[in-house]
Amino acid sequence: MKIKKILLVILLVLPMTIVAQSKFNAEIHGTSLLIKNDAELAYGVGIGYQATNKINLILGFLNGTIDSDLINDDYNVGKYYFNVDYRFNSEDSKFGIASIMGFSYMDFDDKLNLDDGSGFGMDLGVRAFISQTDDYEYGFRIISTFNSESPGAILETGLYFKYKF
């Protein structure tokens, strides 16, 4: 009987606790990933924390398979990142723009025959909000990643959807 009461309290309190943490958010994005002359679609997910009204911290990953003309084969790319978004306009506005700056760790497929198939890099970009409510946000983002291990320049362009808890 005591276990049932504890489970009931947990089931009642846990959802309220999760909803009360309104500073957390989750996002998904579909991206066109371009590396040198190669391009393909990629996807990613991230979890964020709204530190202030204008600053959002995001920890996430991106995964894609690139069809390459260079090696005449497909190769996988994985990116793990920590980015900081800084919103330029008021948080009450439905439309807006934010800068993106952060660090990433990229893992390239062994098929590329790189000296070291992975390495740290730096992300710079911009995010444009098309619509925003208290619960969600969606828009367009473009990020350029500077990585010394990459076979060429890296550019991500695509749409994203963010849900605020």
Side-chain angles (χ1 to χ4, degrees), residues 21-22 25 38 47 50 52-53 77 83 102 134 136 138 146 153:
Q21 301 297 325
S22 62
N25 54 65
D38 304 331
I47 184 97
Q50 194 72 38
T52 68
N53 292 340
V77 175
N83 288 343
D134 290 339
Y136 64 89
Y138 59 91
F146 304 97

Side-chain angles (χ1 to χ4, degrees), residues 94 128-133 136-140 160-162:
K94 287 190 173 200
F129 315 121
I130 296 171
S131 180
Q132 174 180 323
T133 68
Y136 64 89
E137 168 184 310
Y138 59 91
F140 177 78
Y160 76 94
F161 177 80
K162 182 191 304 185

Side-chain angles (χ1 to χ4, degrees), residues 28-89:
I28 59 171
H29 51 273
T31 299
S32 174
L33 182 63
L34 296 99
I35 299 177
K36 200 172 181 177
N37 295 332
D38 304 331
E40 197 67 47
L41 295 177
Y43 64 91
V45 297
I47 184 97
Y49 179 75
Q50 194 72 38
T52 68
N53 292 340
K54 294 188 177 261
I55 297 174
N56 187 38
L57 309 172
I58 302 170
L59 183 65
F61 86 98
L62 175 82
N63 189 12
T65 301
I66 307 294
D67 183 24
S68 176
D69 293 334
L70 179 65
I71 61 172
N72 294 324
D73 198 3
D74 295 347
Y75 63 91
N76 293 322
V77 175
K79 176 181 174 181
Y80 306 91
Y81 60 89
F82 173 74
N83 288 343
V84 177
D85 290 4
Y86 179 79
R87 185 179 179 131
F88 290 112
N89 63 334

